[in-house]
Amino acid sequence: LAGVSSSGFFGPGALPEWVDRKYKPGASVQRSGVSLRQYVVSTVTGEQFFKSPNLFWFLIALLVHVLFPYDVAGAKGGVSNSWFLSRLAVNFIVAGSYYSFFFVAMYNWRWTKRKFLPNSFSTMENLLHDLWYWSLGITQWTLLEAVMVRVWTVGYVSFNTDRDILRDPYLLIKNILWILLVPVIRDFHFHFAHKFVHIRALYKYVHSLHHRNSDPEPFSGLTMHPFEHLYYFSAAFLPSLFVPGLSPLVFLYNFVHLVLAPCCGHSGFEDHFQSDQFHYIHHAKFECNYGAPSIAFLDKYFGTFREKLGESKEYKGEWKERHKISTVRMRFANNGTCALPNSFDHALYTFFSVASFTLLYAKVSKMADSIFISPWVVAFAVTYLPLLLAMLLCIVYNDRVSWRWPFHKEVILGSFGITFASGLLELLPVFFAVQSACSL
């Protein structure tokens, strides 16, 4: 139940059923649960929700919703600093407790034994690097919550209180169905959003930061550039931004799912709750396994599915075994420790990142009311301008790699077109949310 084995969160009993303990970690062939048919059946029967971590994360979201509900009324005239800081404290406590528990259990108490890459551990410098960007992720979570609360207060979309929903069978069923669909939305959104940030310009200035962790640990799951956080978190606005009458719990569950799921999925071990060989292989091999293991059929369709570490019989992409990850303590933080850029073009992009999110907070909090800036301009600056700026910097600084790399051999009006168009579409919820939140 809830993805927790009868033996608990850690140990041999927590291994996925398809893992053969005779093989080294990561060497078992993952073919179970990777077909479209299996996904549809598990979704319709409810197995995907009730027998997976999805239920566990929902229970956490429900607890937060009951104890710390969104103060919508308090944001009516604009989000105050006290509103933001109190919500930020809640989010740091929830996410910090979750991540810290699994990190300490695996890396200090050693309750897990099967590490994908034995004897490879992050240095303190690397951990501080990850904690910094992880903290930026929690801060942006809070900022986007403020955006959604402002959307409710300006009347762009309506919401219903728990009392209203519990009194109306139609609203209750409607909210339950959307809660059950949140993991499905997350699965498909993540696959295409993830592939989108692998396109050369965004990879160079945004997603490469996340891939410094070729042998990840829990906090590295949310170690992302702020613009990648934005693309990743854009799923939180589906469906709450477009479907009236939903409880704020639906939005909160979506965000709790987004924030907590990367923790164990980036653990570096395979014998624990929510272990994820599928995504670990993505960090180790780079051009494969873009989605979640539950929808691996999409990677199979695009030829980017890799079933295990080592030689793959399934993979049809371009990646070659050029190097092996060294089994030593990784060192990468000097490539940009705590947001310090290592080149002038990265410095420009960092400056733009700070400026755009400062502008967003100023408009949502009404600190910049005396300065007229069109809500459309704010929304565009936060969502689509980062992509255009990244592409422009690649041109100005004479980047010699194809702008479509690593998908440069795909048909523009085929697989690549699907990736690019879906990435642009996935930014629309954030665009509309920011525009409406800044409109009054």
Side-chain angles (χ1 to χ4, degrees), residues 132-133 136-137 140 144 205-206 209 223-233 339 349-350 353-354 356-357 382:
W132 166 253
Y133 287 102
L136 293 182
Q140 189 175 139
L144 294 180
Y205 292 103
V206 177
L209 189 154
T223 296
M224 305 176 188
H225 188 282
F227 283 130
E228 181 174 359
H229 283 135
L230 185 76
Y231 296 161
Y232 175 66
F233 287 156
Y349 204 80
T350 299
S353 305
V354 174
S356 61
F357 283 107
V382 172

Side-chain angles (χ1 to χ4, degrees), residues 88-163:
L88 181 64
V90 170
N91 292 342
F92 262 103
I93 291 170
V94 172
S97 300
Y98 188 90
Y99 276 76
S100 296
F101 169 72
F102 282 102
F103 180 89
V104 172
M106 286 186 267
Y107 284 86
N108 293 94
W109 298 338
R110 303 297 174 95
W111 288 356
T112 49
K113 307 297 181 184
R114 294 177 60 86
K115 196 171 190 308
F116 290 115
L117 194 59
N119 304 318
S120 172
F121 299 95
S122 295
T123 63
M124 179 56 69
E125 187 181 22
N126 291 356
L127 184 57
L128 290 174
H129 166 278
D130 288 354
L131 284 169
W132 166 253
Y133 287 102
W134 178 91
S135 298
L136 293 182
I138 305 305
T139 304
Q140 189 175 139
W141 170 18
T142 311
L143 177 58
L144 294 180
E145 284 182 318
V147 167
M148 189 65 210
V149 170
R150 284 290 297 156
V151 168
W152 286 323
T153 62
V154 301
Y156 182 89
V157 65
S158 64
F159 71 96
N160 277 311
T161 65
D162 295 340
R163 180 175 296 179

